[in-house]
Amino acid sequence: MNDPSSLPLTPKGNNNLQTNTNTAAKKLQAFQNSKFMKLLRPILGVVVSLYIVFRLYQVLVVHQEYGADTWTRLLISGLIIGGVYSLIAIGYTLVYGILFMINFAHGEVMMFGAYAGLYSFWAFKIIPIAGDPPTNFLNAYPILAIILAFLIGMTVSATMGFFLEKIAYRPLRKAPRLVPLISAIGASIFLQNAAMLLFSPQLRDVTNPDILRRGAGWTIVINGSNVILPYTGVFTFILSILLLVGLYILVRKSKLGRAMRATALDKKTAALMGVDVDSTISRTFIISGALAGAAGVMWGIHNGLVYYFVGFIPGIKAFTAAVLGGIGNLPGAMVGGLLLGIVESMGPAALGIDFQLKDVLSFLILIFVLTFRPSGLLGEVLSEEKV
Amino acid sequence: MKAMKFLAVFMVLAMLLTACGQAAATEAPVAATEAPVAATEAPVAGGAPEACADALGCAVFEAGDVIKIGMGAPMTGGNASYGIDISQGATIAMSDAGDIEGWTFALDAQDDGGTAEGGAAVANKFAADPAIVAVAGHIFSGATAAAMPIYEKVGIPMLSPSATNPPLTASGSTVFNRIAFTDLNQGNNAADFIYNTLGVKKMAVLHDGSDYGKGLADIVAAQFVKDGGEVVIEQAITPGESDYTAVLSTVAAKTPDAIYFGGYTAEGAVLVNQMKTTGLENAKFFGCDGTYGEDFLTRTGANGEGAYASIAPASPDSDAKLTFNAAYLEKFGKEAGSLSPYTWAGYDAAAALAATVKQVAVVADGKLYIPRAALVAAVRSLSNYVGLSGTFTCQSNGECNTDKPQFVVVKDGAWTNAE
Amino acid sequence: MKTLIRQSIRTGITYGIVQIFFILIAFNTMVGIMLAKISGIKNPGEIPAAKFLIAYTILMGLWVGISALSKKKFLPAGHKLLAGFTAGLVSAILVGLLELAMTGILVNKIFIRDFLTVLSFDFIKATLFGLTPVLGIVVTMGAIVLGSLLAVGLNIVTNLNAVQEHWKKDLSFLKNLNDKFQRMIRGKYHLIWQIVGISILAVAVIFIPMKWGSYWNYVFGTVGLYVILGLGLNIIVGLSGQLVLGYIAFFAIGAYTMALLNAPEPHNLMWGFWPALLLGVLLAALSGILLGLPIMRLRGDYLAIVTLGFGEIIRILLKSDVLTDFTGGPRGIQNIQGPMLFGKPFNSEVDFVYLIIAGVLLASFVYNRLQQSRTGRAWLAIREDETVARASGVDTIKYKLLALAIGAAFAGLAGGIYASRNQFTGPDEHALMASINVLSLIIVGGMGNIPGTILGAFTLKGLPEILREFANFRLLAFGALLVFMMLSRPEGLIPSHRPKYDEPNEVSGEMKKKEVPHDQ
């Protein structure tokens, strides 16, 4: 019940309030188990499950449209994109866990990270390194170049996160919940247009170092067909997982992590216990910004495309992923991200529908999951009392 | 008491509503006649030429005024690159257009966001501005559709470089014309070319879900089947993303010989790059005029080798085009065509409008008169206008670019003629 | 003294960075062009004359100075001078450093526009006022310092601080006015006041649109449609407390019902405006209930994301290949027939403005009646605490669904008029940003009250039109203003006299006493 890994949303220690509302909660529970809801949910569940089984049967058994090679490709594609979604979703969840606000400008923070990565690689490409044949910094020291690019991207995004909180959110900490949301939306519009005016609306291609060439990869032969496991994809996926694990350890073990959890539970008590709430929140934004920056650089390396609008769609998707997993819950964000990635890539093929409708599918799954688990897959059941 | 209050308020409201209704009803004819009068703005003073006597009147310019050509384009939001690029191309056209006895041209590019709401707002703004004589636009079909009826009332001719939606020219508008390449012609010819010349029998058809991409893809698919080919799969992708490996994998499972894509370079280049990792190494990529351009080459590199596109016939490196490219790079710091494939069309639309304005303009008593009705007719009768992106002759419905397309292929990193 | 200097240096650095940002997005030439236009030059070209750029630089300096002196009303003049000068100098040095770097680019002919797109050689020359680099930098720095000193002078002479502080007061004046207004229409002579007010409004409403050009009528009409939308969303978010982010889906349903029933393509049904409008409203309300049923258990942000998803689902479906034959697909629907009233067709913006005003009046009326009814109180109870409301015998499901249905119906009404007015509707009209706009407008205006919604609609839809002069900088300015407005007026431009949707206590950890005025 008391999972220390998640940033708990519910002030469980807040006894007074809890006992007061307990009877009411029971009534609500009773209502939710009322005839109407009792009927509605199973019917919905049965209908949806039947449809899915029917479509799966048709696609997999009757038509056998796709072989194992195609499924493997789809799985690879889904895992990679899911990894990036997880990383961005963590940023939402971290901030939400502490401030209960949706940082709408998170996608834009990622976009600036992506630009930083793009420009770093370009700059490294310009620096000449003597040798035979003469080469450039990017290809002479690729690992160093990649590390530097990540550092630059994460620094830029972390700085942005820090100032975003300081300028647009901190003065609103005591305001009604929707106000910081609108402020975040304003910041998001501002940052998008700032990037467009600074860097031009052109779509840019990221120049990768040769060892991480896009399109190259390990080849696996399945069903006599070559399935390519791209280097960039594997790199992206492994790095996302490493960062997620690192963050998990940070939140669980470090002093800062403890401060973050305390702040999430109860700001006032945390402050009384000697936690510097303001600086903890600032640091949370720095961490979430750094993760978004890393996601941005990865996006550039794997997808190769950077422009001022690049943060918008992943931002919305990651937000969806965070809610799907249970917002405020770190493992939840990861599960949600991966699940969303896989649903997007395999779902349309498995159900035999247009790829255009993949977003419809992901949102339907979100609605479906939330109908049965109103606080997400791994979210705490109690949280609905809170929100 | 409460009921009384309710009743009273309701009565007043009801009265008000009927008053409104009547006002609107009596207002209607007045407003209808009012619109053209408003368009004339400057009263037809003594010395004004004969041509200004009709209902639409003339745009009148005092010495030192600037003749404005409007453009409604998405300058912000996800599609801003199109609007910014096309308006930049058109800006160069304005400085190239010279002057009419001292009156110079200027472009007034307004942000319409590409939507109907924005399109109508911009159109109303232009309609209220007496210095706007013509509109090079709008850029997106939705905005164009909402803007057309407004320009129709005040007699402002349109020449769109990029609104390709077929029904736009079917609604009998007198003001709307376009130099965008007609989808029907392009699609049918492309399908024939793929089936007959390239000998492809199994093809996958993809599009980006936009009115342009989908329209073209549907035409190609239909014609290809008519020719006897087989369309193995038809899929739409979500524009703006940069990972299409999932959809390409399912396409690969159908083993097509070629992929036709209706859409733009932004997604087309990603598709070409990712075809190589999803088991489509041997399939041909066939794009359209939306995927043609230098940008496609730089973004696909070696992967783009052997990719096809269909374009409006224009000599690819005419002197005028090279001059324009140099001017564009000098002024905006980007290669022409790197922001959108419509750079040259933007230039052409604005330049053609300026040339037409010059034909109909009349100078009298130190004032410049541009008869609006004559200008509308003149734009519609544009013929054999040689632009950078083709030669334009307007049909009676406003289609000005109905030539048979030319097919090009990437060979050694450059677009070359495929026939 | 030390603190003063430290503060001034910090201000100087902040505004120095802002100025560098402005130069890097070519904001200086844009303002220069505007200044040139104001001074009567008809065609200032792409790069304005140097004097306008110098004027811009002085203005920037003035801004730095004013900011450095804000909240320093009672300082002696000498200290003010010091603070203003320090801040001006610091930001001048930062801008000077940028111009030095730009000079380096110019002298060495480095092509940097791949990274920072505006830095063309012509632009750099213009930024240096066409002078030699050293002189240009000196003039820039001088102009900024001059501007800040000017601010100091102004501050000492006229006490500019007062103006700044008025920003807040002026708006609380709005609130007072609103309170007075509320008292007037609810007080002793309410009936008389209501009739007088409505008559004045009626006269204004009937005669003003005739005088405006079609452009302002169009803008005004758009604002009106967003007032209807805002009122509808206010019922859902402001009154019943459900955060809905996909509100525009209901608008889309209204618009598409109108379009499908009144356009030659794809179905050629031609039902006429009024039946289609009615059906659109009903369908929107029905879809509100259908959406509501499965998600009644969700609250707060979970509800937000689910409704956001619903909005996107509707948009994607409207656009998709599957429904192309039915909805026209990405092409949208064209040539939608306008309404007829008493045998007269609506064919100008003025007619639609009247129609929209009638819609706004109807919506305001319904909103006002609902707010003060038993239903409205049930919604408030749900908003304040759903569990307690449930425990006190409020049928929460029924009232939440009712809120969704009525709010959706408002959107359906606005959608129908919108489609008919533009004679076109397409799937991309109904994107997520439109939902966000509506949500923003009710929060910017002040949640839960009609005057706030109207003011919010003017801000959100009127302001971008007014900002048209800013060209590409339009949305940048808009985003910044949105943040600024929230920071300076977190309760909205006209705060409601009722308590807010969400209490801050759960965020700040403190319980806040609040009053619930009973006005019945």
Side-chain angles (χ1 to χ4, degrees), chain C residues 160-340:
Chain C
L160 213 76
N161 280 316
V163 179
Q164 269 189 326
E165 269 144 41
H166 266 137
W167 160 244
K168 283 196 170 173
K169 273 195 196 138
D170 283 345
L171 287 162
S172 53
F173 154 80
L174 272 179
K175 179 181 184 280
N176 292 340
L177 203 70
N178 183 33
D179 285 350
K180 235 177 239 169
F181 176 72
Q182 296 284 348
R183 240 173 288 143
M184 233 156 67
I185 60 166
R186 300 231 167 86
K188 204 171 166 191
Y189 302 108
H190 58 88
L191 205 58
I192 298 170
W193 281 120
Q194 278 173 3
I195 291 172
V196 168
I198 287 171
S199 329
I200 293 173
L201 200 67
V203 171
V205 145
I206 290 170
F207 290 107
I208 288 178
M210 289 186 208
K211 296 289 155 214
W212 282 357
S214 63
Y215 173 58
W216 285 110
N217 271 328
Y218 183 83
V219 173
F220 189 66
T222 309
V223 170
L225 287 175
Y226 274 82
V227 171
I228 303 179
L229 281 172
L231 288 173
L233 191 61
N234 242 329
I235 291 181
I236 303 176
V237 183
L239 294 186
S240 80
Q242 309 174 71
L243 179 52
V244 166
L245 266 186
Y247 186 58
I248 215 70
F250 305 123
F251 182 75
I253 288 169
Y256 263 85
T257 311
M258 175 62 68
L260 290 171
L261 294 179
N262 272 319
E265 297 274 332
H267 302 304
N268 200 15
L269 292 170
M270 295 302 178
W271 277 29
F273 175 83
W274 302 104
L277 188 68
L278 192 68
L279 188 68
V281 169
L282 289 178
L283 279 181
L286 190 68
S287 66
I289 294 174
L290 284 182
L291 168 70
L293 274 179
I295 60 168
M296 270 298 114
R297 292 170 76 207
L298 303 179
R299 296 189 196 175
D301 302 303
Y302 291 94
L303 186 66
I305 184 72
V306 166
T307 48
L308 183 152
F310 174 71
E312 285 295 282
I313 288 174
I314 295 283
R315 184 182 68 86
I316 297 169
L317 282 180
L318 287 174
K319 197 175 176 171
S320 69
D321 288 4
V322 186
L323 291 179
T324 294
D325 292 337
F326 183 69
T327 61
R331 274 175 197 173
I333 300 167
Q334 247 176 279
N335 296 324
I336 302 165
Q337 287 286 304
M340 300 275 283

Side-chain angles (χ1 to χ4, degrees), chain A residues 330-349:
Chain A
L330 293 185
M334 200 174 136
V335 171
L338 288 178
L339 183 69
L340 197 70
I342 290 172
V343 164
E344 275 190 4
S345 70
M346 297 179 83

